[in-house]
């Protein structure tokens, strides 16, 4: 059903023009984008006549403004109410004004006119059409280590440790419990925790072909309608591991890892207590029970056999990995070519700044505009194009070097001696776990 009573965004107007240029007609574009045919026709004509500049034209009253015929007091009050209550929409503002004695007997602007005024004053939140990140297509695995499902169980209370979130990895084909990592006093594990458990898994079982992830913020940019790939996502790409994101909420998808959470919890820590802060004991319990589940516990989905009995080939993927190899294994050209496939829209602040990929950039000449951003794998630059498509700024990339993707491992590899800080913090514990897997390391 077509959406009504709202203004199209720059992203949508550009998309209308591009869809028309590719051969779609007005009704087809309207159906695909959920817009009125009349809206599509309007912007398609502007795009056809004037190109990119045409779809950036301002709408509404030209000279006098959206509420130019109303008294200054009305405009000031609407502006003040919106600033004091950013969550109030045009209808709420008009309803509140109806009850104000000061405006009794005066004609008040309609809801659409208030909306137009708020847009004119820069007091609206701009919405861009959502775009998906390029990703590997979901397929049923045909062999071990073709697809790993990875997820963090919601934080649970464990006696002696408090709130703990356990990251689990399961091989979808063989049902092998690849690894589990406890994150103590953490509700949403960070990139560093996920890289730690993955590196441990790579060392033991080799690297998989794909990993399947949900849309948690550490995997997927939830803050923008045109998401930029996360550090973890780019790290996978550099290592040659494909990424696929689930499209439906569990248990429709990720049913195996969701059941795995329950199984691992029941085996390793439900009803158990640990000495105060002894995360090492919990990790040892997890490691022991995973070995039991993989080598001895009969699995219903495998005809009553443990995973490594039913699928002995799952003992290794055939793609070896060692921590000291990682820097050489990272292929940054793959990352640059992947990022080059993307297109993003970002709002530039009044002081000329915008953020993409967790990095801040400055484009003063585009202050208060929505810019279109693309990336060049050849020049390693972002190109920002103005709303009318007539101006551009090129900015050197940030945060896309090997050291940025490697995170905590990079300093461990770059120094011959690395002293862990006391007392042990969660960061120090992760570093110690990494160091344990470095060849020739003595702790």
């Amino acid at each position: 059903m077509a959406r009504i009573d709202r203004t199209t965004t720059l992203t949508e107007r550009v998309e209308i023009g591009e869809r028309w240029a590719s051969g779609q007609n007005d009704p087809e574009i309207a159906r695909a984008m959920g817009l009125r045919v009349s809206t599509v026709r309007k912007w398609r004509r502007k795009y056809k006549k004037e190109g990119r500049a045409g779809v950036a034209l301002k709408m509404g009253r030209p000279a006098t403004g959206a509420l130019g015929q109303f008294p200054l007091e009305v405009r000031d009050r609407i502006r003040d109410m919106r600033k004091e209550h950013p969550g109030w929409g045009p209808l709420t503002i008009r309803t509140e004004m109806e009850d104000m004695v000061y405006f009794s007997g005066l004609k008040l602007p309609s809801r659409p006119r208030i909306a137009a005024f708020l847009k004119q004053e820069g007091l609206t939140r701009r919405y861009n059409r959502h775009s998906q990140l390029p990703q590997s297509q979901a397929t049923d695995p045909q062999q071990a280590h073709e697809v790993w499902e990875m997820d963090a169980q919601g934080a649970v209370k464990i006696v002696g440790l408090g709130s703990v979130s356990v990251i689990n990895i399961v091989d979808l084909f063989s049902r092998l419990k690849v690894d589990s990592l406890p994150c103590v006093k953490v509700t949403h594990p960070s990139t560093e925790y996920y890289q730690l458990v993955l590196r441990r898994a790579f060392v033991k079982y080799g690297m998989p072909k794909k990993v399947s992830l949900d849309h948690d913020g550490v995997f997927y940019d939830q803050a923008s309608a045109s998401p930029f790939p996360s550090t973890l996502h780019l790290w996978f790409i550099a290592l040659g591991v494909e990424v696929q994101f689930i499209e439906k909420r569990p248990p429709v998808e990720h049913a195996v890892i969701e059941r795995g959470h329950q199984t691992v919890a029941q085996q390793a820590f439900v009803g158990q207590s640990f000495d105060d802060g002894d995360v090492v004991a919990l990790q040892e319990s997890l490691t022991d029970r995973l070995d039991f589940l993989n080598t001895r516990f009969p699995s219903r989905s495998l005809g009553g056999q443990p995973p490594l009995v039913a699928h002995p080939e799952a003992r290794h993927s055939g793609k070896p990995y060692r921590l000291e190899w990682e820097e050489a294994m990272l292929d940054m050209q793959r990352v640059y070519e992947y990022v080059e496939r993307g297109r993003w829209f970002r709002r530039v602040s009044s002081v000329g700044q915008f953020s993409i990929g967790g990095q801040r950039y400055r484009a003063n000449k585009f202050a208060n505009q929505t810019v279109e951003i693309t990336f060049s794998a050849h020049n390693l630059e972002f190109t920002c194009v103005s709303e009318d498509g007539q101006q551009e700024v090129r900015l050197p990339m940030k945060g896309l070097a090997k050291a940025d993707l490697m995170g905590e491992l990079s300093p461990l590899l770059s120094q011959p001696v690395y002293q862990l800080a006391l007392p042990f913090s969660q960061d120090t514990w992760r570093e110690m776990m990494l160091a344990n897997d470095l060849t020739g390391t003595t702790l």
Side-chain angles (χ1 to χ4, degrees):
M1 181 180 292
R3 295 169 285 180
I4 60 175
D5 289 0
R6 72 165 182 80
T7 303
T8 55
T9 64
L10 173 64
T11 314
E12 290 171 318
R13 300 196 294 272
V14 171
E15 183 174 346
I16 288 170
E18 291 177 344
R19 284 178 178 271
W20 166 77
S22 69
Q24 295 185 24
N25 59 35
D26 294 349
E28 290 173 337
I29 297 172
R31 284 194 299 272
M33 298 182 64
L35 298 171
R36 284 181 168 179
V37 175
S38 59
T39 300
V40 172
R41 184 182 302 115
K42 170 185 176 179
W43 292 111
R44 186 261 302 162
R45 286 174 174 172
K46 286 183 175 291
Y47 188 92
K48 181 178 179 181
K49 182 179 180 180
E50 304 173 49
R52 173 65 179 271
V55 299
L57 296 178
K58 301 292 184 181
M59 296 181 293
R61 298 176 180 268
T64 58
L67 299 181
Q69 75 277 29
F70 287 90
L72 179 62
E73 292 84 351
V74 171
R75 285 174 277 162
D76 287 344
R77 187 58 187 144
I78 291 173
R79 187 185 298 108
D80 292 343
M81 291 172 72
R82 179 63 169 221
K83 289 181 177 179
E84 293 169 6
H85 303 280
W88 286 10
L91 183 58
T92 300
I93 291 174
R94 192 185 194 284
T95 303
E96 289 287 340
M97 292 179 71
E98 289 174 355
D99 296 334
M100 294 180 181
V101 177
Y102 184 86
F103 297 110
S104 179
L106 292 179
K107 179 184 177 181
L108 296 176
S110 65
R111 185 200 64 78
R113 297 318 306 156
I114 294 176
F117 175 74
L118 293 175
K119 184 173 190 265
Q120 170 189 296
E121 297 295 303
L123 296 174
T124 56
R125 178 182 174 186
R126 298 198 172 196
Y127 292 91
N128 290 321
R129 188 172 178 83
H130 194 88
S131 61
Q132 298 290 338
L133 288 170
Q135 62 169 313
S136 173
Q137 294 300 309
T139 56
D140 292 330
Q142 302 300 310
Q143 59 186 15
H145 301 298
E146 185 175 338
V147 180
W148 286 359
E149 289 186 351
M150 181 172 70
D151 187 39
Q153 183 182 20
V156 296
K157 296 290 185 181
I158 298 180
V159 177
L161 293 172
S163 180
V164 179
S165 178
V166 177
I167 300 174
N168 289 306
I169 306 174
V170 176
D171 177 51
L172 193 54
F173 180 80
S174 68
R175 297 302 197 264
L176 176 78
K177 306 296 186 293
V178 178
D179 206 350
S180 297
L181 180 77
C183 309
V184 178
K185 295 182 174 58
V186 172
T187 52
H188 291 90
S190 63
T191 298
E192 290 77 13
Y193 283 104
Y194 282 102
Q195 286 186 315
L196 171 58
V197 68
L198 284 160
R199 284 167 172 145
R200 284 161 33 107
F202 293 165
V203 168
K204 185 171 183 179
Y205 292 108
M207 297 170 60
K209 179 180 178 182
K210 299 180 184 179
V211 290
S212 178
L213 309 170
D214 61 21
H215 283 74
D216 188 272
V218 73
F219 307 137
Y220 197 93
D221 178 7
Q222 300 175 339
S224 173
S226 51
F228 192 84
S230 69
T231 299
L232 194 62
H233 188 170
L234 296 176
W235 179 69
F236 279 126
I237 291 172
L239 286 172
V241 178
E242 299 175 29
V243 172
Q244 63 185 45
F245 294 102
I246 62 174
E247 297 180 355
K248 300 176 182 178
R249 295 176 63 87
V252 179
E253 292 191 66
H254 268 200
V256 173
I257 192 67
E258 291 296 326
R259 289 194 299 270
H261 288 326
Q262 300 176 30
T263 302
V264 170
Q266 293 287 341
Q267 288 281 333
F269 56 81
V270 168
Q272 305 297 309
S273 61
F274 297 84
D275 292 339
D276 187 30
D278 192 357
V279 66
V280 175
L282 175 56
Q283 181 64 75
E284 290 175 349
S285 177
L286 286 164
T287 301
D288 176 71
R289 300 320 292 170
L290 289 193
D291 181 68
F292 169 78
L293 291 169
N294 288 330
T295 61
R296 297 168 55 197
F297 188 73
S299 170
R300 291 182 181 179
S301 61
L302 299 175
Q305 292 183 307
L308 288 179
V309 174
H311 296 284
E313 73 278 10
R315 292 187 179 278
H316 203 277
S317 70
K319 297 175 64 177
Y321 166 95
R322 279 168 47 178
L323 269 68
E324 54 268 34
W325 296 349
E326 182 174 307
E327 185 173 6
M329 293 175 70
L330 293 175
D331 185 344
M332 299 307 294
Q333 190 60 34
R334 279 196 294 251
V335 172
Y336 303 147
E337 291 175 357
Y338 179 84
V339 177
E340 190 174 47
R341 296 163 60 189
R343 181 174 66 164
W344 306 274
F345 291 85
R346 293 292 185 269
R347 178 70 173 171
V348 181
S349 71
S350 59
V351 295
Q353 292 186 343
F354 68 91
S355 294
I356 188 168
Q359 303 291 328
R360 298 193 68 83
Y361 293 86
R362 182 171 291 278
N364 292 329
K365 64 191 301 183
F366 298 147
N368 295 316
Q369 290 191 45
T370 297
V371 294
E372 178 182 345
I373 305 169
T374 55
F375 180 75
S376 168
H378 176 69
N379 298 321
L380 303 185
E381 292 178 333
F382 287 106
T383 298
C384 305
V385 180
S386 61
E387 288 188 356
D388 62 9
Q390 302 303 304
Q391 301 181 75
E392 69 177 37
V393 169
R394 296 185 178 183
L395 303 170
M397 71 169 191
K398 301 178 184 178
L400 286 180
K402 284 189 177 184
D404 299 307
L405 301 188
M406 293 174 66
E408 291 180 328
L409 179 59
S410 185
L412 285 178
L413 296 178
S414 62
Q415 301 180 37
V417 177
Y418 191 83
Q419 183 171 347
L420 298 173
L422 294 174
F424 282 169
S425 63
Q426 285 295 303
D427 292 348
T428 305
W429 177 72
R430 287 197 306 269
E431 293 166 3
M432 183 174 65
M433 297 280 280
L434 276 175
N436 277 331
D437 284 323
L438 277 170
T439 303
T441 299
T442 302
L443 294 179

